[in-house]
Amino acid sequence: MEENTPGLTLLGLGAMGTALAHAWLAAGHRLTVWNRTPGRAKQLVGRGARIAPSVAEAVAANRLVVACLLDDASVGETLDGADLAGRDVVNLTTGTPAQGRARAAWAAERGARFLDGGIMAVPPMIGVPEAGAFILYSGSRDLFDEHRDTLAVPAHPVHVGEDAGFAALYDVALLSAMTGMFAGISHAFALLRREEISPRGFAPMLAGWLTAMTSSAYSTADQLESGDYTRNVTSNLAMMVEGNATMLRTAEEQGVSAELLTPFMTLMERRLADGHGDEDTTGVIDLILR
Ligand code: NDP
């Protein structure tokens, strides 16, 4: 165990908090933990963690205080009575951008520096550098730079801005894109479900196809930044809407509801009806901006 690794406090030992705790202990950090249900901390004592009997003592133990609790309300409930003056508070609890900003103001009122975080990982990926996990941070750049080595232990740290709402915003943007992908995967398997086609056999083809299609993120970004949605269009909207008809008809033939597809297809049709058949799907973004 290294002698000079800085100490830190971790509040919350759920599935994610426990994974974080194991990573910091394995890296030789002095770790003080607190959990609402005290029994969950006991398993960490054998690994060298110190259990704080109260939130106040946990917060007093170290300058760096990390919270990984259920939601924003539980962070408020847990920390409201604690003296945060001079502390560096890092909130790894998932929330919305507005909650991140409000929590930053709340921490500033109490004399603490603050970073909001968004964990882009599931617990088994924590402390496993090759797993590809990363943690988004926004808020105090000084806090981030000072504690960067400690924050790098569970997963690669990425600071996305001084605006404390940005970590949550990036987090939710990535999760939203993933949700659309899950919808597509669900529909694809449903189409094959009643046939003698092995899902395991199809999976590598599906994963490979989705991977090949992800470059569309770059062309969408380029069109948004240039303002020219017809730039480098490879499949135009007019052609894609034609293709949608084939997709919908196939769903019907296979006895599959198209409800996962139709919201996006409806927007594509609206954009086409507005006279943008020479674009691809970037114009849909303008349609959903309220
Ligand atoms: P768990 O449900 O496993 O744990 C929740 C933790 O919050 C427990 O320590 C629980 O304490 C504590 N808690 C709940 N309510 C309160 C409260 N009112 N006051 C004090 N403590 C409270 O969740 P995870 O550990 O999985 O998730 C923690 C955070 O990490 C969440 O914000 C989640 O979105 C985020 N995250 C989780 C991922 C995952 O895959 N698990 C992935 C990415 C982010 P107690 O033991 O007493 O119930």
Side-chain angles (χ1 to χ4, degrees):
M1 197 179 275
E2 291 171 44
E3 287 297 315
N4 295 326
T5 45
L8 74 153
T9 287
L10 174 64
L11 308 170
L13 294 171
M16 186 52 85
T18 299
L20 296 171
H22 280 290
W24 276 311
L25 289 169
H29 289 263
R30 282 177 294 103
L31 184 70
T32 299
V33 294
W34 173 89
N35 193 61
R36 179 182 61 176
T37 307
R40 286 180 109 162
K42 284 191 186 130
Q43 47 148 332
L44 292 169
V45 174
R47 307 281 313 275
R50 179 182 164 266
I51 302 181
S54 66
V55 175
E57 285 168 79
V59 169
N62 293 291
R63 182 181 176 99
L64 179 60
V65 177
V66 178
C68 187
L69 300 166
L70 184 66
D71 55 14
D72 182 66
S74 57
V75 175
E77 250 174 66
T78 300
L79 281 172
D80 254 344
D83 179 8
L84 296 179
R87 301 292 108 172
D88 287 337
V89 176
V90 176
N91 182 25
L92 294 182
T93 307
T94 303
T96 68
Q99 285 172 335
R101 289 175 187 132
R103 198 51 72 195
W106 170 96
E109 277 165 23
R110 287 159 178 77
R113 293 194 298 186
F114 181 80
L115 268 185
D116 203 47
I119 302 175
M120 304 311 298
V122 289
M125 295 164 80
I126 296 297
V128 182
E130 61 278 16
F134 58 102
I135 304 183
L136 298 160
Y137 292 97
S138 61
S140 169
R141 179 82 214 194
D142 291 343
L143 190 173
F144 180 80
D145 288 340
E146 268 175 52
H147 297 288
R148 190 189 193 112
D149 290 347
T150 304
L151 299 176
V153 168
H156 179 64
V158 185
H159 190 269
V160 290
E162 290 273 343
D163 182 329
F166 278 11
L169 186 56
Y170 276 70
D171 184 338
V172 171
L174 295 174
L175 293 179
S176 300
M178 182 186 75
T179 300
M181 184 186 76
F182 287 163
I185 289 173
S186 302
H187 186 83
F189 277 116
L191 288 177
L192 310 184
R193 196 67 184 135
R194 296 201 180 91
E195 310 293 346
E196 295 286 308
I197 298 173
S198 150
R200 280 203 190 104
F202 178 64
M205 188 183 282
L206 176 57
W209 174 247
L210 290 175
T211 304
M213 291 296 104
T214 56
S215 63
S216 74
Y218 295 102
S219 61
T220 302
D222 182 52
Q223 290 169 358
L224 287 170
E225 293 210 1
S226 69
D228 177 4
Y229 296 177
T230 62
R231 196 167 143 127
N232 298 323
V233 167
T234 48
S235 302
N236 70 41
L237 195 59
M239 192 273 278
M240 279 196 267
V241 168
E242 282 293 321
N244 288 350
T246 306
M247 282 193 255
L248 294 174
R249 212 167 138 180
T250 303
E252 201 169 330
E253 285 176 14
Q254 294 302 111
V256 173
S257 161
E259 63 198 297
L260 293 174
L261 300 182
T262 44
F264 191 62
M265 289 180 172
T266 303
L267 289 162
M268 290 167 77
E269 283 163 24
R270 258 175 63 195
R271 185 74 182 170
L272 178 63
D274 289 346
H276 299 284
D278 54 348
E279 299 177 355
D280 48 33
T281 58
T282 302
V284 166
I285 296 167
D286 290 355
L287 290 180
I288 60 172
L289 281 172
R290 291 203 177 124

